[in-house]
Amino acid sequence: QCTLYLFIKLLICQAFVEYSNTDGSVKAKNSLHQRKFAGNVVIASYYPEDKFARKELDAEGPTQQRW
């Protein structure tokens, strides 16, 4: 089992979403990244699992990671 965390950031808020498998997280990232929501562009990227587990939720978010 693979757990991936998807970081979604808007100008006004951010969200961390946990997925239980790679396929779901890839589909979500691909469908959300650079889409507009409430007039803001969504930035979706993967977040390090170890940082998420330690609740190190950076305000700036992760760098763009290629998985």
Side-chain angles (χ1 to χ4, degrees):
Q1 180 175 345
C2 179
T3 302
L4 295 177
Y5 300 88
L6 188 63
F7 174 79
I8 302 169
K9 182 172 183 171
L10 297 172
L11 182 61
I12 56 173
C13 67
Q14 62 187 22
F16 292 84
V17 183
E18 180 179 358
Y19 288 85
S20 61
N21 62 63
T22 304
D23 290 340
S25 67
V26 169
K27 287 178 185 176
K29 181 180 182 286
N30 290 341
S31 67
L32 292 172
H33 187 66
Q34 297 185 339
R35 291 192 66 171
K36 286 195 173 185
F37 179 77
N40 297 295
V41 177
V42 174
I43 299 170
S45 60
Y46 295 109
Y47 200 77
E49 185 175 355
D50 58 330
K51 289 182 75 172
F52 185 86
R54 292 191 305 267
K55 298 189 181 349
E56 294 178 14
L57 308 177
D58 299 337
E60 294 302 314
T63 57
Q64 292 292 322
Q65 297 178 6
R66 306 284 184 236
W67 293 46

